[in-house]
Amino acid sequence: MSIVDAHIASWCSSPLGERATEEAWDIVANAAGLVTGILATLDADYEIEGDIAVHRTTTVETGAVMKGPLIVGPNCLVAAACLFRGGCWIDSDCIVGPGAELKTTLMFQGSKLAHFNFVGDSILGSDINLEAGSIIANYRNDLADPRLRINYSGKTIESDTLKFGALVGDGCRIGANAVVAPGAILAPRTVVPRLGLIDQRTRS
């Protein structure tokens, strides 16, 4: 079982799981290609314009900015002034609130961004809630060497990956104005307190 499988129960049965077996940071690096491949398989329940597909049951408010490749599934709410870019896949029953930004992110069923959130280069499991202002950062601007180096299950994982936000397990809750530093792996049902910081970087 991969790290992604252990954190997201529906990964293997999803269109993503059928196409990607790498670790989370490698999957994210190819997110645009994955989304483009899935676009070609969608049915008439989606309104497709270029490389953007939105399910006909989803509500898109005026002022939302959607840049492809992008798939937004059934019964979602895409609020005013939110932004999608860099290759995003949104499962069913999700909410991307006002002023929120998703960059190169895969988001599973029932997850919600309240408003004024940033999520970069990440995989979000099912039934996750990000309260207002919470951030999942994707680049180690604070370090001379920003390459991925994280502590997971007592081991150090290293990669040449420069941009990776987080793998967030099913059922996590991230409080208002909290920050998840790049390279985080959050176990299912993790609770990050308001104003909290999660930083799993292994210092050299």
Side-chain angles (χ1 to χ4, degrees), residues 56 170 204:
R56 296 181 187 277
D170 296 334
S204 54

Side-chain angles (χ1 to χ4, degrees), residues 71-191:
I71 298 172
V72 183
N75 303 310
C76 294
L77 171 62
V78 176
C82 70
L83 169 64
F84 299 91
R85 63 186 178 94
C88 294
W89 178 86
I90 311 302
D91 204 353
S92 62
D93 304 297
C94 292
I95 295 174
V96 180
E101 178 180 352
L102 278 177
K103 187 260 178 183
T104 316
T105 290
L106 313 172
M107 182 174 174
F108 278 76
Q109 182 178 29
S111 288
K112 301 173 179 66
L113 278 65
H115 35 267
F116 304 113
N117 310 98
F118 173 76
V119 177
D121 297 83
S122 295
I123 303 176
L124 306 182
S126 300
D127 190 33
I128 290 167
N129 187 281
L130 275 72
E131 289 186 339
S134 55
I135 300 294
I136 299 179
N138 62 339
Y139 181 74
R140 299 293 324 211
N141 188 54
D142 55 326
L143 299 174
D145 181 0
R147 290 176 295 179
L148 185 70
R149 185 182 294 115
I150 59 174
N151 183 27
Y152 177 73
S153 292
K155 299 179 180 178
T156 297
I157 298 173
E158 296 188 39
S159 169
D160 287 334
T161 299
L162 294 178
K163 286 197 173 183
F164 175 62
L167 169 60
V168 183
D170 296 334
C172 287
R173 300 289 181 264
I174 300 178
N177 294 316
V179 174
V180 178
I185 300 176
L186 301 187
R189 293 171 295 283
T190 296
V191 176

